[in-house]
Amino acid sequence: MTDSLLSLRGLTKAYPGVVANDDVSFEIGHGEVHALLGENGAGKSTLVKMIYGLVKPDHGAMVLNGAEFTPSQPRVARAAGVGMVFQHFSLFEALNVAENISLGMENPPNQRDLSDRIRDVSQTYGLPLDPERRVGDLSAGERQRVEIIRCLLQSPKLLIMDEPTSVLTPQEVEILFGTLRKLRAEGTSILYISHKLEEIRNLCDTATVLRLGKKVATCDPREKSARELAEMMVGASLHIPEKAAAEAGEVVLEMRNVDLKSLSQFGTSLKSISFQVHSGEVLGIGGVAGNGQDELLSALSGEALTPDSAVMFEGKSIGQLGPNARRSISVLAAPEERLGHAAAPDMSLIENALLTGRARKGLDKNGFLRWGAARRFAKDIIEKFDVRTPSSKNAARSLSGGNLQKFVIGREVLQDPRVLVVNQPTWGVDAAAAAAIRQALLDLAAKGAAIIVISQDLDELMEISDQFCALNEGRLSKARRTADLNVEEIGLMMGGSSNAA
Amino acid sequence: MDLSAINPVLLIASLMVAATPILLAAIGELVVEKAGVLNLGVEGMMITGAICGFAIAVETGSPMLGLIAAAAGGAVLSLLFGVLTQYLLSNQVATGLALTLFGLGLSALLGQSYVGVKPPASARLDIPVLSDIPVIGQILFGHSFVVYLGIFLVVAVWFFLNKTRGGLVLRAVGENHDAAHALGYKVVRIRMMAIAFGGACAGLGGASLSLVRVPQWTEGMTAGAGWIALAIVVFASWKPVRVLLGAYLFGGVTVLQLNLQAAGVSIPVEYLSMSPYLITIIVLVIISTDRSKAALNAPASLGRIFHASS
């Protein structure tokens, strides 16, 4: 039994109403990169939280290096050599890099020694990072480096990574993989959680697939195709969105030299953004988070106003119209942040349907709400988009991320927009639901609408967009036909290299 | 009108005494807010400290025991707030306001038999040679012990927050409690300690009013000092040194306008009375006009309820 680093035996954890992990057992060997695969809600997060000491299992045992391992809290796990890089970074924006790292250590050295050690480690593993910088000013990729270096400083035996590449450019992903391969060569084991199957086939030695809290299989991902892995996760065959070949029509929406100062502290201002979208076309806008995506969406949705003629819709200037005015002329948007921006968390699905559908679906009359019509509209969304919820009276907050996302997209799609702008339409959504959302967007385009998809998921943009452009530090590259691009070129466009255009 | 009756040396010396209650309360609240908790009950804790300190000092004849009792009284009251907001997850704003009302009522009840009583004089720091230096000696030395305690606490808090690991953890908890929890820090425990510290400081501030500055007990004697302390913390961008500046400015204008009133300046008394509040806030607003920088200093989790979910 001592040939494996960590073995999990029959781990079970139940929450009221749901069994998050049901008798899960597997082994992680020394110097192995072990993938943990599964849909949203399959129990991956609960499982790694048990290993990291954040959650106590109801039953089952863990053995680390031949000794019983029952971490009661993260610092016990860290002391035993388990490090974790979270999906949503657990960093403190107002503090600098060295302070952030020091908070994650048991016996941190003084600031100057720590800064030196950070520089050492960051050079050794090819992760450039300045210890004096304030974390709030760092990019997502740099923030992840902070977390990784924090773990590496403790020389972990097992490094847990929760969806590490979801916020990185392809080039940053390569750097990260280089680091992980180097760690593996030094004998560190890595437990790697991801949705991205190609990555797992590229990097991992072993994969464990979870479905609805149970282990389905442990396999060698290099011997399986991405499709086989996906079907193991879903437990059914997977529908791949189909794109009908359609001729692009006339220009529906155009932006001309839009400059927009960001309202938020850490936001990015837009700098002379220009593009056109045609009828029946999907325009994909790629780029790493924090390069102006939120600002671009707000300029398109009408939350931020621009000079009147800077935004043109079917030949009319709409730059000075607010969100409701734009909705009524059928320019709709679905922002990235589901809770709090796209939906009001504590209001029911019916009320949420009413909030954006009011004008176009005629859900009010003379200032009075038509609850019957609103209920029918909400029910329609729930049925057509397979939103899993006990009822339309449930609060938006109570839905899982994927289901709420289906609701938010469905709500806009069913209003038959001429222009639909979506930001991160499938962020944190599992494979089957993501496919359904993408199909709905494609179907809408086939009916002649112009679609703008802002996303950090390049596979998604390659799959559904006709034209691709990249957003980098608030500047938008020229649009190019997606079919003519390969991943390297896209990476260069996202990095802001202008000769790619 | 006789402005020559105003002695600048005495003015500065009494400024330090006048500023101390607010300074103590504000530096405590600063620590509480840096830990991410918004305790609006400062006024209530101050006045509770004022009567606790006053009563014990009168009963025992020892001002020092009075100050200890004041700190204890403020801390106990703040822990009530702590239990309600940290364990029972009640709303911090509403609970803080309730705490102020509760403190005002409780102090009035406790203080019924102390109205008009004279407290024992608190010891002054008389250092033979230094206190005799003209001007400087008069300004800097010979004050009550609490005046120096206030200045010491500002330095100590600054040092703690910026130079020690405990301070770093406290700021981390106030910045992002979920992340701090994920790293294994005890968010609730750290916040309870900060709340108790803030309560003790507010209590001391109240006692410095009833035992040193005035010194006597009257109902509602804090007269909004707790609210000014709260405002100073915000406008000082959560920086200890600026809190000192704000408190001394407020104390200075208070003393000055009292002197002006006494000298019979022909400005209506109402304007003079409001001037310390107005001037302090205007000056601190001007200092913190760079909005982006001020926002960076604000603890990001301030006032948000923390519930450790799995």
Side-chain angles (χ1 to χ4, degrees):
Chain A
M1 285 309 288
T2 48
D3 56 333
S4 68
L5 172 71
L6 176 72
S7 69
L8 310 179
R9 292 175 194 160
L11 283 184
T12 300
K13 175 78 195 176
Y15 292 110
V18 54
V19 180
N21 285 132
D22 188 0
D23 195 20
V24 176
S25 308
F26 63 92
E27 317 252 322
I28 300 172
H30 290 279
E32 175 186 79
V33 183
H34 193 115
L36 190 56
L37 276 167
E39 303 246 73
N40 297 112
K44 299 175 306 237
S45 296
T46 310
L47 189 67
V48 293
K49 279 179 181 166
M50 287 195 277
I51 301 174
Y52 194 56
L54 278 167
V55 172
K56 245 193 202 103
D58 298 338
H59 302 290
M62 291 181 271
V63 176
L64 184 72
N65 258 341
E68 194 79 4
F69 179 54
T70 50
S72 53
Q73 51 169 316
R75 66 182 61 195
V76 179
R78 285 201 294 267
V82 177
M84 177 154 172
V85 176
F86 291 90
Q87 177 183 8
H88 303 290
F89 305 135
S90 53
L91 293 177
F92 307 94
E93 297 204 343
L95 307 181
N96 72 25
V97 170
E99 287 174 328
N100 265 285
I101 288 175
S102 133
L103 279 166
M105 298 174 75
E106 289 316 311
N107 293 302
N110 70 42
Q111 287 274 320
R112 194 166 307 135
D113 294 351
L114 183 61
S115 296
D116 290 342
R117 283 184 58 193
I118 292 169
R119 285 197 192 91
D120 276 356
V121 173
S122 73
Q123 267 166 20
T124 313
Y125 291 97
L127 300 165
L129 198 61
D130 176 3
E132 309 301 331
R133 281 182 68 194
R134 191 192 274 270
V135 167
D137 300 332
L138 301 182
S139 74
E142 288 171 312
R143 289 181 195 207
Q144 186 180 53
R145 285 178 205 158
V146 178
E147 293 241 4
I148 295 173
I149 288 173
R150 174 154 78 187
C151 292
L152 294 186
L153 280 174
Q154 332 239 18
S155 335
K157 298 193 210 75
L158 173 67
L159 185 61
I160 304 172
M161 305 206 71
D162 194 352
E163 306 236 359
T165 59
S166 52
V167 292
L168 303 185
T169 61
Q171 278 80 2
E172 285 177 316
V173 170
E174 272 314 308
I175 295 174
L176 174 68
F177 281 12
T179 306
L180 295 182
R181 290 198 180 100
K182 188 157 186 177
L183 280 169
R184 170 169 62 185
E186 289 171 3
T188 308
S189 306
I190 295 161
L191 182 59
Y192 188 92
I193 302 178
S194 180
H195 277 132
K196 298 188 182 170
L197 302 165
E198 283 305 331
E199 274 176 7
I200 284 174
R201 296 185 58 235
N202 191 343
L203 180 76
C204 301
D205 309 305
T206 321
T208 293
V209 183
L210 293 182
R211 182 163 74 226
L212 299 174
K214 289 198 178 70
K215 187 179 97 167
V216 182
T218 293
C219 61
D220 184 338
R222 287 162 299 192
E223 290 170 359
K224 304 271 180 194
S225 72
R227 192 178 179 118
E228 282 173 312
L229 289 172
E231 286 176 359
M232 276 200 270
M233 279 160 57
V234 183
S237 61
L238 194 67
H239 169 76
I240 307 257
E242 289 152 27
K243 198 165 158 59
E247 281 298 302
E250 75 285 11
V251 175
V252 179
L253 188 88
E254 182 175 7
M255 260 198 171
R256 295 178 189 158
N257 285 319
V258 171
D259 290 293
L260 184 69
K261 201 161 158 33
S262 176
L263 294 173
S264 83
Q265 170 77 34
F266 301 113
T268 308
S269 300
L270 299 181
K271 299 172 193 93
S272 67
I273 300 261
S274 300
F275 65 84
Q276 295 182 333
V277 217
H278 300 84
S279 157
E281 182 180 80
V282 179
L283 173 70
I285 297 180
V288 179
N291 272 301
Q293 281 91 342
D294 294 339
E295 290 76 12
L296 181 59
L297 183 111
S298 64
L300 286 165
S301 71
E303 285 168 78
L305 298 179
T306 55
D308 206 21
S309 59
V311 185
M312 304 285 289
F313 168 66
E314 293 182 336
K316 296 186 291 288
S317 308
I318 59 167
Q320 283 291 315
L321 297 184
N324 274 326
R326 290 193 198 188
R327 271 191 202 115
S328 59
I329 57 168
S330 118
V331 177
L332 304 184
E336 170 184 6
E337 180 64 43
R338 292 184 276 256
L339 286 175
H341 197 178
D346 293 312
M347 293 178 97
S348 73
L349 294 181
I350 299 176
E351 287 164 317
N352 271 296
L354 223 156
L355 285 172
T356 76
R358 186 184 55 81
R360 291 191 61 74
K361 300 299 274 186
L363 302 182
D364 66 344
K365 199 172 185 186
N366 305 327
F368 291 96
L369 299 176
R370 296 175 56 209
W371 284 109
R375 254 191 297 278
R376 280 192 295 280
F377 180 43
K379 234 175 126 187
D380 204 25
I381 301 168
I382 291 168
E383 274 166 18
K384 291 210 173 107
F385 281 81
D386 187 28
V387 180
R388 310 223 175 114
T389 170
S391 106
S392 54
K393 293 199 182 73
N394 276 53
R397 190 192 286 289
S398 69
L399 268 64
S400 75
N403 274 312
L404 184 57
Q405 186 67 29
K406 285 193 271 186
F407 181 83
V408 166
I409 300 283
R411 179 178 68 180
E412 308 306 329
V413 167
L414 288 184
Q415 293 179 44
D416 279 326
R418 288 285 295 144
V419 176
L420 178 60
V421 188
V422 291
N423 189 4
Q424 295 276 56
T426 59
W427 169 253
V429 173
D430 60 47
I437 288 174
R438 289 172 195 156
Q439 186 65 57
L441 294 175
L442 289 175
D443 291 346
L444 189 64
K447 282 199 273 177
I451 316 274
I452 300 170
V453 180
I454 305 171
S455 178
Q456 288 158 44
D457 184 344
L458 289 181
D459 297 334
E460 168 171 275
L461 293 176
M462 297 285 269
E463 188 177 307
I464 63 172
S465 62
D466 302 297
Q467 298 276 332
F468 177 88
C469 46
L471 196 57
N472 182 271
E473 289 176 5
R475 289 193 172 80
L476 194 67
S477 71
K478 268 206 198 97
R480 297 183 61 189
R481 270 168 54 84
T482 313
D484 302 341
L485 290 169
N486 60 34
V487 172
E488 271 77 346
E489 288 172 297
I490 288 182
L492 286 172
M493 285 169 81
M494 283 167 62
S497 165
S498 52
N499 56 14
Chain B
M1 182 168 103
D2 181 16
L3 285 181
S4 61
I6 300 173
N7 177 345
V9 174
L10 278 181
L11 187 80
I12 299 176
S14 51
L15 166 169
M16 292 174 70
V17 180
T20 297
I22 292 165
L23 179 62
L24 282 166
I27 200 71
E29 178 68 10
L30 182 139
V31 171
V32 177
E33 293 191 12
K34 270 288 180 191
V37 180
L38 182 64
N39 185 352
L40 294 182
V42 180
E43 178 86 2
M45 300 186 298
M46 269 185 100
I47 193 123
T48 306
I51 186 57
C52 287
F54 191 86
I56 297 297
V58 167
E59 299 301 334
T60 62
S62 158
M64 189 52 81
L65 280 180
L67 288 175
I68 293 170
V76 167
L77 197 64
S78 72
L79 285 177
L80 177 65
F81 171 86
V83 169
L84 286 170
T85 57
Q86 302 304 306
Y87 291 101
L88 305 178
L89 306 182
S90 72
N91 179 298
Q92 294 182 5
V93 171
T95 312
L97 291 173
L99 195 73
T100 287
L101 295 174
F102 177 66
L104 286 169
L106 181 70
S107 62
L109 179 70
L110 292 175
Q112 269 177 343
S113 55
Y114 292 97
V115 178
V117 176
K118 201 172 156 36
S122 57
R124 284 169 191 284
L125 195 73
D126 260 323
I127 304 167
V129 183
L130 292 177
S131 305
D132 298 335
I133 304 172
V135 187
I136 295 180
Q138 246 181 317
I139 293 176
L140 291 183
F141 303 99
H143 292 301
S144 158
F145 154 78
V146 276
V147 173
Y148 305 105
L149 180 67
I151 299 168
F152 167 77
L153 275 178
V154 170
V155 177
V157 164
W158 174 84
F159 184 83
F160 172 75
L161 286 178
N162 293 299
K163 298 286 169 194
T164 69
R165 179 157 178 85
L168 178 61
V169 172
L170 183 127
R171 282 189 289 142
V173 165
E175 178 63 24
N176 184 344
H177 49 215
D178 293 319
H181 175 69
L183 288 173
Y185 292 106
K186 303 284 181 203
V187 175
V188 171
R189 190 185 303 166
I190 290 163
R191 287 189 168 163
M192 287 298 281
M193 291 194 294
I195 289 169
F197 175 78
C201 285
L204 277 175
S208 70
L209 198 62
S210 63
L211 288 175
V212 179
R213 167 124 197 263
V214 178
Q216 62 171 339
W217 167 252
T218 43
E219 213 180 295
M221 69 184 299
T222 46
W227 298 111
I228 276 290
L230 271 166
I232 284 176
V233 173
V234 175
F235 290 124
S237 318
W238 294 270
K239 289 191 170 135
V241 176
R242 286 195 191 170
V243 164
L244 182 73
L245 181 84
Y248 272 27
L249 183 71
F250 182 81
V253 183
T254 307
V255 174
L256 182 68
Q257 63 93 6
L258 285 175
N259 277 294
L260 289 175
Q261 282 187 31
V265 177
S266 60
I267 303 171
V269 174
E270 289 78 4
Y271 287 108
L272 286 173
S273 304
M274 75 168 83
S275 61
Y277 299 87
L278 271 179
I279 292 173
T280 305
I281 286 180
I282 289 170
V283 168
L284 288 170
V285 165
I286 291 169
I287 291 176
S288 57
T289 35
D290 190 347
R291 285 224 340 265
S292 55
K293 275 196 186 143
L296 270 183
N297 262 310
S301 293
L302 184 61
R304 278 172 46 210
I305 289 177
F306 171 72
H307 177 56
S309 61
S310 49

